[in-house]
Amino acid sequence: FPDNLSVLGQRAFYGCYELRSVEIPDSITQMGQEVFGNCYLLEDVSIGGSTNVTMTTFGPDVFSYCTSLCSIQVSPDNSMLKSVDGVLYSKDGTELLQYPAGKETTEYIIQDGTRKIADYAIVGARELKEVLIPDTVTEIGERVFFQCEKLLYLVIPKNVTSVGILI
């Protein structure tokens, strides 16, 4: 990417079927909807330390249908985002932004302290059978579990006050 590039617009790399790895540079401040959607072979994403993408500028379903995506890594120097075992969260850990659909674990325990699960955050995670949501979660976004074909167990905590369309 050029050093002066600041926006990755909606569907900028949509359907780039051979794309396998992406390093999002520090200059990026906004990523639109489905920027990397349907990049079936995309396995790894790396986000730099100075990248200014925030929860409000990280478009919904940026990595939708990236069925090979196993890990999203974020530099520890990043002030807006963090990665916990390859899963993308807001830096303060209050929002789960993206669970990689290609991750091969069958159970995922959402970090305690998470308050919101973003729209499309877990979409297409085909191997997940069980998701454990902590009591700290109060909001579950739109289509969070869409096309999680093996999902068998999910308990929505009593503290949740807002739930979008789940599938």
Side-chain angles (χ1 to χ4, degrees):
F1 296 109
D3 290 340
N4 62 345
L5 183 65
S6 63
V7 176
L8 295 177
Q10 181 175 336
R11 293 185 165 200
F13 297 95
Y14 186 89
C16 289
Y17 304 120
E18 298 300 318
L19 186 62
R20 295 178 187 271
S21 181
V22 171
E23 288 185 34
I24 298 171
D26 293 345
S27 62
I28 299 299
T29 59
Q30 184 175 353
M31 291 196 295
Q33 186 172 359
E34 294 184 315
V35 170
F36 298 102
N38 285 342
C39 294
Y40 302 121
L41 297 180
L42 182 61
E43 297 173 349
D44 300 297
V45 172
S46 177
I47 301 174
S50 298
T51 304
N52 291 318
V53 175
T54 65
M55 291 74 70
T56 56
T57 59
F58 189 89
D61 59 345
V62 168
F63 301 107
S64 64
Y65 307 105
C66 293
T67 54
S68 297
L69 185 60
C70 297
S71 179
I72 302 169
Q73 295 303 316
V74 178
S75 168
D77 298 331
N78 191 298
S79 64
M80 303 292 185
L81 304 170
K82 72 176 179 178
S83 178
V84 179
D85 297 324
V87 178
L88 187 64
Y89 282 87
S90 60
K91 183 66 169 195
D92 63 5
T94 60
E95 187 170 355
L96 167 58
L97 294 170
Q98 187 72 57
Y99 177 91
K103 221 167 163 52
E104 299 206 3
T105 54
T106 58
E107 177 187 272
Y108 184 62
I109 301 170
I110 294 174
Q111 238 187 213
D112 195 36
T114 302
R115 291 196 297 256
K116 179 180 179 183
I117 304 171
D119 295 350
Y120 302 91
I122 306 176
V123 70
R126 295 180 299 178
E127 297 304 316
L128 273 182
K129 292 181 180 179
E130 183 174 353
V131 176
L132 302 176
I133 302 173
D135 287 336
T136 56
V137 171
T138 59
E139 183 178 347
I140 299 174
E142 296 287 330
R143 297 190 177 252
V144 169
F145 303 105
F146 183 63
Q147 292 191 338
C148 293
E149 298 165 356
K150 294 183 181 178
L151 188 62
L152 298 172
Y153 183 79
L154 174 71
V155 176
I156 297 176
K158 63 182 177 184
N159 295 335
V160 172
T161 58
S162 175
V163 178
I165 299 169
L166 291 180
I167 55 171

